DNA sequence: TGCACGATGAAC
DNA sequence: TTCATCGTGCAC
C-alpha cells in the first residue's frame, strides 16, 4: 500500500475528488488497522463555493481548510456525527473533498454509507482534525494494481441553501457500487 | 452572552 | 416529515 504524497492533494479539487475514488482510507488505533475503500466523495471548491464551510471566511473551525493540502478536516455535524474531508490545493485556497462512503475492507464494523456512518465505523473523530495525511496512523493509500471504474456525477447532498452551487455536479461515486449512500 | 441552524441518520 | 443533539458563527 503506497501512501499518497502531498503533491496528490495539491491539485485541482475536482480532479483530486474523482481520483480519490478507489483509493484506501487507513486508520490505525491501538494496533488495529482499519481499511475502507473510498467509493463516494464530494468536492468543495473554496470561499466562492457557497456550499463550502470556507464561504464563511477564515474562522476557528475552517482554519484547517485554509491551511496546506494533505491534511484532514474533521468537524462535528448535527451534534452527533463527524464528517471527514481532505484539504486540497495550495494553502489559502480553502477547498476540500468530503468522504461520503467507503467499502469495508478490513476491521470495519458497522455501516459506512454516508459521511457520519463512515466516520463512526472508521473511528474518526475531532481528534484527527488537522492530522497530516502524509504522516503515519491516518492516511490514504493506493495499491499497485489500478482498476478503472465508471464515475457517476451528481449534485451534492444537503446543500440546497447554496443557490446555483447546489446544482453543480460535484458529487462523485463509483457506478453500481453497493456501498454508495442512498439518497 | 444567547441562539438559530447544519456537508446526518433513523424513526415514524 | 420529524427529531436527536451540540459546536460554531454571528447577532446583540
Amino acid at each position: 500500500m503506497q501512501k499518497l504524497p502531498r503533491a496528490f492533494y495539491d491539485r485541482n479539487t475536482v480532479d483530486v475528488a474523482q481520483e480519490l475514488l478507489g483509493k484506501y482510507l487507513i486508520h490505525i488505533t491501538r494496533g488495529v488497522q482499519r481499511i475502507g475503500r473510498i467509493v463516494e466523495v464530494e468536492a468543495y471548491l473554496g470561499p466562492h463555493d457557497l456550499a463550502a464551510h470556507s464561504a464563511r471566511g477564515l474562522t476557528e473551525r475552517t482554519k484547517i481548510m485554509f491551511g496546506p493540502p494533505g491534511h484532514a478536516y474533521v468537524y462535528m455535524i448535527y451534534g452527533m456525527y463527524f464528517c471527514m474531508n481532505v484539504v486540497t490545493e495550495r494553502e489559502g485556497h480553502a477547498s476540500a473533498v468530503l468522504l461520503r462512503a467507503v467499502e469495508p475492507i478490513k476491521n470495519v464494523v458497522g455501516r459506512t454509507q454516508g459521511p457520519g456512518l463512515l466516520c463512526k465505523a472508521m473511528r474518526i473523530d475531532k481528534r484527527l482534525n488537522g492530522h497530516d495525511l502524509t504522516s503515519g496512523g491516518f492516511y490514504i493509500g493506493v495499491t499497485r494494481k489500478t482498476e478503472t471504474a465508471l464515475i457517476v456525477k451528481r449534485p451534492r447532498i444537503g446543500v440546497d441553501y447554496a443557490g446555483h452551487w447546489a446544482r453543480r455536479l460535484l458529487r462523485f461515486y463509483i457506478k453500481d457500487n453497493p456501498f454508495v449512500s442512498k439518497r
Side-chain angles (χ1 to χ4, degrees):
Chain A
M1 190 75 77
Q2 190 68 43
K3 191 179 299 178
L4 295 179
R6 179 126 17 242
F8 176 88
Y9 303 101
D10 191 6
R11 296 181 299 140
N12 176 279
T13 303
V14 171
D15 291 340
V16 174
Q18 297 188 60
E19 290 179 36
L20 277 174
L21 295 175
K23 302 289 191 296
Y24 296 86
L25 179 64
I26 297 149
H27 185 205
I28 305 170
T29 53
R30 295 190 298 276
V32 179
Q33 183 187 49
R34 301 175 206 278
I35 303 179
R37 180 168 170 265
I38 300 169
V39 298
E40 179 183 358
V41 299
E42 282 180 359
Y44 287 85
L45 305 186
H48 56 293
D49 177 356
L50 297 182
H53 289 168
S54 53
R56 297 280 181 186
L58 177 59
T59 66
E60 181 59 29
R61 179 173 69 155
T62 62
K63 64 183 182 183
I64 300 301
M65 277 188 83
F66 281 87
H71 290 251
Y73 167 44
V74 182
Y75 65 91
M76 173 169 272
I77 185 73
Y78 296 108
M80 59 191 76
Y81 293 103
F82 291 101
C83 287
M84 157 71 189
N85 305 251
V86 299
V87 177
T88 59
E89 307 205 31
R90 68 182 184 280
E91 182 168 358
H93 195 275
S95 51
V97 175
L98 169 69
L99 305 188
R100 285 195 58 89
V102 300
E103 176 178 337
I105 299 296
K106 181 183 176 187
N107 292 326
V108 179
V109 179
R111 302 178 67 195
T112 55
Q113 45 185 258
L117 291 178
L118 177 165
C119 285
K120 186 181 178 190
M122 291 288 295
R123 300 294 184 268
I124 297 167
D125 62 32
K126 197 83 181 287
R127 289 172 296 185
L128 290 169
N129 187 37
H131 182 92
D132 186 349
L133 295 170
T134 65
S135 64
F138 185 45
Y139 58 95
I140 296 173
V142 59
T143 53
R144 215 171 316 284
K145 107 174 186 184
T146 55
E147 32 195 311
T148 313
L150 282 177
I151 298 177
V152 179
K153 302 167 185 176
R154 292 285 182 270
R156 292 171 292 185
I157 301 295
V159 296
D160 291 343
Y161 57 83
H164 70 279
W165 285 96
R167 296 190 288 276
R168 293 280 302 274
L169 302 182
L170 294 173
R171 176 190 180 209
F172 308 105
Y173 60 85
I174 296 178
K175 182 175 168 56
D176 296 329
N177 186 285
F179 295 95
V180 169
S181 66
K182 314 299 180 197
R183 280 282 212 155

